[in-house]
Amino acid sequence: MTIRFGTSGWRAVIADEFTFAGVRSVTSAICSHFVTANAVGDLMVVGYDTRFLGEQFAEECANIISRNAFRVLLCDQPVPTPTISHVIRTKGAICGINFTASHNPPQYNGMKLSTSDGAPALPEITRNVEQIIQASLPTAAPARPLEPGEVQTFAARPGYLEDLAKKINFEGRGYLDEILRTHGLEVETIHDWRDVLFGGRAPEPEASHLDELRQVVMSKGCVLGLATDGDADRFGVIDSNGSFITPNQLIALLFDYLVESRKWDGGAARSVATSHLVDRVAEARGLPVYETPVGFKYIGELINENKIVIGGEESAGLSIKGHYPEKDGILACLLAAEAVAARGASLTEQLKDLYGRVGKLESGRIGIRLTPELMQSLGNKLKEDPREIGGRRVERTNRMDGVKFIFADGSWLLMRPSGTEPVVRIYAESESATDLEVLLEQGHKFLLG
């Protein structure tokens, strides 16, 4: 078995590749990495989300860590990924491991490694962990029974919610609704129970998965509908009129709002696949934009360096100045609620105003399954340098992550293999929805032609 870390950790199908033996191997390799890296400290944090066998995998992981002479804080209940980041930073841990497969389908689980700053581990760390695993397999054995006191259980929620309350102006399952109620807002909560099958589909808060939330918003006259994925690092937002506010739209809108309301210095960071609407807001306000590869760890570095007001990805990851260098879906939802309350306008109304100032952009993406034939031709295809695609002149080519063609009219097309699924994603952006569809089709033809 080959264990590979993707954009957000190691993910695999439970009982196929994601097994207790695999967890032992990855945990042992992480411990070996921090021993050889001469890490300052000996505390590690372990958490898990609501997926099948999450507690058991986490306990085995904590057991292995303890056997490797590290101290362990094991969260006492399912926790969001950003909560792990908070615990790492406040407790001075050298790393954290969260058992989650984020938005992947329910048959998956995963291990997400975060470093001492609370950010996702960078590629040089995960590559070293992979090398240690390959040198060690299949030697990982079940951990011995724990002695009393070897692993300390820890209530992570109170401290995280207290920290969030300091970052939101109030004039996850058990997290998002609790902090809203604590500050006097009326909340209608749905899906407040553990379902390891997530209703039979991936726990991704995208438009097609939020019909029930949309119905509740409309039927009860709610101001907003707020959702997160399985580990609450991604967000989904339904406006009062039932419209889905895309991550691209919300990132740009919140950038504009935070610069206006907080008076913060700094620019914005976005991944290469994220809307250039962020760039237009930055240009209008005279602020810089930092483009990064896909993967929030790169945006996290800019947060650590205090260079940005906000950083976001079109896949619904977002964090802000002064917060953790990790995407936080709960924070994003709270900021959306704050913007509506502070501006006295719905998100749809705020977007209309923003478009009036900087212009409107339409963005989208499609996925193509990686067949053996496509895998064979993909590398060469992404190395091509066409002068035009579908009659559009290519003005600039960006190979930061995949290949991105920027056209003379400002529209763009990006093709890159997914870091978490066996698919190639095609992203596009233009000034009209009709042209967006044309661009996506042209990208599809280019890739398969």
Side-chain angles (χ1 to χ4, degrees):
M1 179 179 69
T2 301
I3 292 175
R4 296 290 185 209
F5 281 70
T7 306
S8 296
W10 171 49
R11 298 178 190 172
V13 174
I14 300 169
D16 179 8
E17 292 186 357
F18 199 92
T19 62
F20 283 97
V23 168
R24 294 176 201 124
S25 294
V26 174
T27 305
S28 297
I30 289 171
C31 290
S32 296
H33 166 79
F34 284 101
V35 168
T36 58
N38 296 316
V40 178
D42 64 350
L43 178 65
M44 295 187 181
V45 179
V46 177
Y48 55 94
D49 68 8
T50 60
R51 287 176 182 267
F52 182 62
L53 290 178
E55 299 97 323
Q56 290 81 2
F57 285 132
E59 288 171 5
E60 186 70 1
C61 174
N63 208 337
I64 293 290
I65 291 171
S66 179
R67 193 170 70 174
N68 278 272
F70 288 94
R71 294 184 298 125
V72 192
L73 280 181
L74 176 62
C75 295
D76 64 353
Q77 62 180 347
V79 294
T81 289
T83 304
I84 295 290
S85 296
H86 176 260
V87 176
I88 291 170
R89 291 164 71 95
T90 56
K91 297 296 181 181
I94 59 173
C95 75
I97 300 169
N98 200 23
F99 282 83
T100 176
S102 191
H103 64 294
N104 276 42
Q107 63 267 33
Y108 282 78
N109 211 324
M111 296 175 71
K112 184 167 187 178
L113 175 63
S114 301
T115 45
S116 59
D117 56 1
L122 292 170
E124 53 264 33
I125 294 176
T126 55
R127 279 195 297 266
N128 188 46
V129 171
E130 290 172 353
Q131 291 167 2
I132 296 171
I133 293 168
Q134 292 311 306
S136 304
L137 284 174
T139 58
R144 61 169 170 73
L146 281 172
E147 297 296 329
E150 281 190 295
V151 173
Q152 180 183 349
T153 56
F154 177 73
R157 177 161 61 179
Y160 168 75
L161 294 181
E162 182 180 342
D163 186 57
L164 266 187
K166 299 173 184 176
K167 299 170 181 175
I168 302 295
N169 292 332
F170 282 102
E171 288 183 12
R173 175 173 163 260
Y175 277 74
L176 182 56
D177 56 343
E178 179 175 327
I179 194 168
L180 287 168
R181 288 194 179 100
T182 298
H183 290 273
L185 282 79
E186 184 179 346
V187 179
E188 177 82 18
T189 305
I190 61 175
H191 290 215
D192 187 25
W193 62 87
R194 183 174 184 178
D195 176 8
V196 298
L197 297 178
F198 301 109
R201 61 187 177 189
E204 185 170 9
E206 62 182 16
S208 63
H209 290 179
L210 298 181
D211 287 342
E212 183 181 357
L213 180 61
R214 181 180 292 106
Q215 291 170 9
V216 171
V217 169
M218 299 297 288
S219 65
K220 295 185 177 291
C222 298
V223 174
L224 283 173
L226 305 172
T228 67
D229 68 344
D231 66 326
D233 64 350
R234 300 181 185 224
F235 59 87
V237 177
I238 301 293
D239 202 14
S240 57
N241 62 358
S243 298
F244 177 74
I245 305 299
T246 71
N248 279 325
Q249 292 171 327
L250 190 65
I251 292 164
L253 192 153
L254 289 180
F255 178 32
D256 184 67
Y257 169 70
L258 288 170
V259 172
E260 174 187 282
S261 64
R262 303 292 201 271
K263 312 300 182 187
W264 284 341
D265 294 325
R270 59 160 178 79
S271 71
V272 68
T274 300
S275 173
H276 290 203
L277 185 61
V278 171
D279 303 51
R280 293 191 175 189
V281 173
E283 182 179 5
R285 292 191 173 273
L287 298 171
V289 173
Y290 302 88
E291 187 173 59
T292 72
V294 173
F296 208 82
K297 46 187 170 275
Y298 304 107
I299 293 174
E301 289 186 290
L302 294 166
I303 290 175
N304 281 337
E305 294 166 6
N306 199 33
K307 288 184 175 179
I308 57 175
V309 170
I310 193 170
E313 294 189 303
E314 59 78 37
S315 55
L318 178 155
S319 191
I320 64 171
K321 187 185 189 78
H323 198 54
Y324 327 130
E326 173 64 275
K327 53 185 181 281
D328 190 335
I330 299 173
L331 173 74
C333 289
L334 292 174
L335 287 171
E338 180 190 323
V340 169
R343 285 177 161 175
S346 70
L347 295 180
T348 301
E349 291 167 339
Q350 292 182 49
L351 279 170
K352 183 178 180 181
D353 172 72
L354 185 66
Y355 293 151
R357 288 185 278 127
V358 304
K360 186 176 183 180
L361 288 173
E362 298 280 356
S363 55
R365 76 177 188 188
I366 57 174
I368 302 175
R369 300 300 295 182
L370 267 175
T371 64
E373 295 78 16
L374 183 54
M375 287 182 68
Q376 188 173 14
S377 64
L378 182 62
N380 289 332
K381 199 67 181 178
L382 296 184
K383 292 177 183 176
E384 292 184 13
D385 280 309
R387 293 185 177 181
E388 59 87 26
I389 296 177
R392 298 170 194 261
R393 181 169 63 85
V394 177
E395 187 171 85
R396 183 163 54 91
T397 301
N398 180 340
R399 298 189 183 278
M400 174 181 285
D401 190 346
V403 59
K404 183 175 183 178
F405 301 113
I406 297 94
F407 301 105
D409 63 358
S411 61
W412 56 265
L413 185 64
L414 168 69
M415 286 160 274
R416 64 175 294 276
S418 169
T420 58
E421 301 172 79
V423 300
V424 179
R425 299 204 187 280
I426 301 175
Y427 306 80
E429 184 165 70
S430 185
E431 290 190 343
S432 77
T434 301
D435 194 47
L436 171 64
E437 294 301 317
V438 172
L439 257 181
L440 289 171
E441 181 59 29
Q442 289 170 343
H444 187 274
K445 289 180 179 177
F446 173 82
L447 201 60
L448 299 183

